[in-house]
Structures are given as C-alpha cells and as structure tokens.
Amino acid sequence: MSDTHSNTVAYVRKTMLTEQAPPSSQVGAVRWVRENLFSGPLNTILTLLGVLCVYYLGVHLGPWFANSIWNAGSLSECREILQGASGACWGVIKDRWHQLLFGFYPQDAYWRPTIAFFLMIVAMAPILFDAVPRKVLWFSAVFPFLAFWLLWGGTIWLPLLALAGFVIGYFAFTALQKVSALAAVIGAMVAPVLWWLFFAGPLDEVLSNALPIGIKHIQSDEFGGFMISIIIGVTGIALSLPIGILLALGRQSDMPLVKWICVGFIEFIRGVPLITLLFTASLLLNYFLPPGTNFDIVLRVIIMVTLFAAAYMAEVVRGGFAALPRGQYEAADALGLDYWKAQRLILLPQALKISIPGIVNTFIGLFKDTTLVVFIGILDPIGLSNAIRADSNWNGIVWELYGFIALCFFIFCFGMSRYSQYLEGKLKTDHR
C-alpha cells in the first residue's frame, strides 16, 4: 500500500500551470469573421457576393465622389471642368442650398426659421430626456405659439390669444371636475374652441389696431423646402400622439356613442389615401367654412396630416392595450382607482412602452409623407428640386439633388429610429 501511495503522489501536480493565450482562431477579429461571415456554405457565399457588390459600387461611385465639383454655376460648367470624366456636380447644392432649406422665404428673414429650429430643439429636450430640468417644460408649452409668430410674423396678439384659449380650457376643466370627469373633459375641449371661434379674432383685430407690436408678416406661399417638411412633420407628430391616445381610449369605451364615433373616424381615415385628404384640405375645405374665411393652406395641411396620423396612432396604441395581461386591469380595480387614474398610473404607461416601435414607425412614415404636399402646390424639397432642374443652368442634373434630399431625410428618420432604441433600452424592465 505504501509503495502504491508513493507512486501515485509522484503524479500529483503541486504547482499551477501558467495561463496560456487562447488560440488565435478563438479571439478577436478572426473569431468574429469566422462566426459571422464564414460560419457555413450559405454565409460564405453571401459574404463573397456582398464583397463583390461593395467592390462594384466602390469602382463606379468612388471616382464620381472623388471628382466632385463644388465651384460651378451651371451643369455645363461642371462638364467643362470634368472634361468627360465621371464626377458629381455639387455646385447645384452650393448654389441653391438656401432654396432647398427655406423655399422662397425672404432671405433677410432667414434668422426667424433658424431661431425657431434651435428653440424647437430646446423645447423638445425636456420631453425626450429626463436629465433636462423639468422647469423647461413651461417653455415647451409656450414654444408652439412663439414658433408660429416667428415663422408667419404679424402682431404678437394672435399667438397670445391662441394660448389664452388653452388657459381657458384648463380653468374649465378645473371648474367642471367637481361635477364629473366626463364633463371636465368635454368642457376643456369646448371652451377653447368657443374662445377661438367667437372671441379671439375680434380681440386680435382690436389689439392689433391699438398696439401693432410684431414683425413682418410672411405669406404661406413663400414657405418651402425642408422648412415646410419640418413644420408639417413635427407638428403632426406632436399632435397625433395625444389625439391617437384619446381615439384608442374612445374605441375601447363602454359608452356606445363615443365608441361608434371613434371607430367611424379611425376606419374612415385609414381607408382613405393621404393624398385624397390633402386635396380635400386644398380644394374642398373652404366650402365648409363661412364665406370670406381665409384659412391658411399650411394650417389646413397640418390638420389633415395630423388627423391621418392620429388614426394610425390610435390603432398602434390599441395594440399596446391589447397586449397587456388582464391582471393589470384587475389590479387597477383592486386598488380602487377610477378610470382616469387607472389609465394614467397603470395601463397607459405600459401600453405606450409596448407600442414604442409602432409609434416611432408611424412618426417616420408621417415625416416622409410630407413630400406628398407637392401635389397640392406646396414646394417641399422634391417640388423645389423640380423647379431647380427646370432652370436652364441646372437642366439635366438629377442624382446630386435627390441624393442631398435623401441624405437630409435619412438624418431625421435615422435619428428618430436611434432615439426609439434608446428609449426601449431605458424602459426595459426585464433582465433577460
């Protein structure tokens, strides 16, 4: 036994082996390439085809970008400089960038939409990010009226009276809340409308004549370019979400009249193309207004685009409600919460969290659909590109204009997409 024990002890390692480097095929770029690009026959074939496509694009687009011409006043001048070589004529962007961004807005007033754009970023910051102080939300509430005044101009009284309508709606909601929640909501909606229809206009005329404080008024037919796309897109996005939430709640309501109205509105809007609604806003809406009423075309388009997006938003939010477990509704009832508190504290936050991808998808689609306004005579970037190409100096140029427009739209849409992913990660509560 002792001999066997002594022989066994001789094979027991008394010291640890030093740490060895892993094989080169199991770490770093080599491992990533092997696992992601050449993990099997199909992936290998697809990788080689992808490399061929990249090579083909590089061979043909590389010289086109490398020979870019920026200092040229016409397409013929670009061709003279290139002398038959392939190259991009970006001189059209340098020559007409202000028109693509601002349309026919007066050049001496470019500071107004520029300031409005940067103020929009400030107003959006507390809504999008928690790190921004909550006090900035007061500016976010005032910004739409300030932006309207900066862009359209005129006296300061019209936006102030429009803002007063919301203040009146808040007081009506507070006063009627003691009666019932439904009466408070109806009062908060009816009171501002009555104020705007019957009192705001006459008061604006009186105050404008007495104290004409303001800046130069600019007509809507001078708007255009990316400025009009941002105005319509951002306004539609900001208004369609709350309206869509109300429509989703109304579609699930136990009150038949409310439910039928919401269902009828949603199904009608979703069954009609947006271009039809835009033609309605452009040509037919004035027939339903009092004689002599001059309703701004841009505001008409904003209303139609908002209603169109709100109908789709309602279905996205309704899908979020449908995905909630029944136990969440029962938990709200068990806590003794009324309808509005249950929606605000328990149900709606969870439904919106589930609906984030669909909501952002609707927002991106809405922003891209702003290009349809060209069919009713509003010169968005696409409409302006056609006008620029009609100029004899730039007749025949295509890729540079559409490439620049596509890049600008991509920046906005990609930014919205990345923010939605950031928000999903921030609100993620599971630990998988």
Side-chain angles (χ1 to χ4, degrees), residues 167-280:
V167 176
I168 292 171
Y170 170 77
F171 283 112
F173 179 83
T174 305
L176 294 175
Q177 202 169 16
K178 300 177 182 178
V179 180
S180 69
L182 181 60
V185 173
I186 294 175
M189 297 172 61
V190 173
V193 174
L194 294 177
W195 168 262
W196 293 327
L197 288 178
F198 299 104
F199 300 101
L203 281 175
D204 174 56
E205 186 175 353
V206 171
L207 292 172
S208 298
N209 292 330
L211 294 171
I213 303 173
I215 53 180
K216 178 185 176 182
H217 176 68
I218 296 177
Q219 298 290 339
S220 292
D221 55 6
E222 299 183 69
F223 286 39
F226 278 100
M227 182 180 71
I228 197 68
S229 295
I230 294 174
I231 291 173
I232 297 174
V234 172
T235 307
I237 288 171
L239 295 178
S240 63
L241 181 59
I243 296 175
I245 293 173
L246 292 177
L247 288 171
L249 295 175
R251 183 159 191 166
Q252 299 183 98
S253 175
D254 295 330
M255 294 182 286
L257 180 60
V258 174
K259 182 175 182 178
W260 294 340
I261 292 174
C262 293
V263 170
F265 175 83
I266 293 171
E267 296 302 330
F268 172 77
I269 295 295
R270 292 176 67 216
V272 177
L274 177 58
I275 188 65
T276 304
L277 297 177
L278 293 178
F279 276 117
T280 301

Side-chain angles (χ1 to χ4, degrees), residues 107-140:
Q107 293 191 13
D108 59 350
Y110 280 172
W111 62 272
R112 288 160 56 173
T114 304
I115 291 177
F117 178 77
F118 286 105
L119 291 179
M120 179 189 72
I121 297 175
V122 175
M124 291 170 59
I127 301 173
L128 301 179
F129 303 102
D130 291 338
V132 180
R134 298 292 92 186
K135 293 182 180 179
V136 186
L137 283 172
W138 289 104
F139 176 75
S140 302

Side-chain angles (χ1 to χ4, degrees), residues 312-324:
Y312 283 85
M313 192 66 63
E315 289 300 283
V316 172
V317 176
R318 188 174 69 89
F321 279 115
L324 291 180

Side-chain angles (χ1 to χ4, degrees), residues 101 226 367 403-413:
L101 294 182
F226 278 100
F367 187 73
F404 176 76
I405 294 170
L407 176 63
C408 292
F409 272 103
F410 173 79
I411 291 172
F412 282 99
C413 296

Side-chain angles (χ1 to χ4, degrees), residues 356-395:
I356 287 175
I359 290 174
V360 176
N361 185 56
T362 305
F363 286 166
I364 292 175
L366 168 62
F367 187 73
K368 292 189 294 185
D369 283 344
T370 57
T371 55
L372 294 176
V373 299
V374 68
F375 292 106
I376 59 173
I378 298 178
L379 293 182
D380 72 317
I382 301 296
L384 285 172
S385 68
N386 295 331
I388 292 171
R389 292 173 59 234
D391 187 345
S392 59
N393 290 328
W394 301 111
N395 189 10

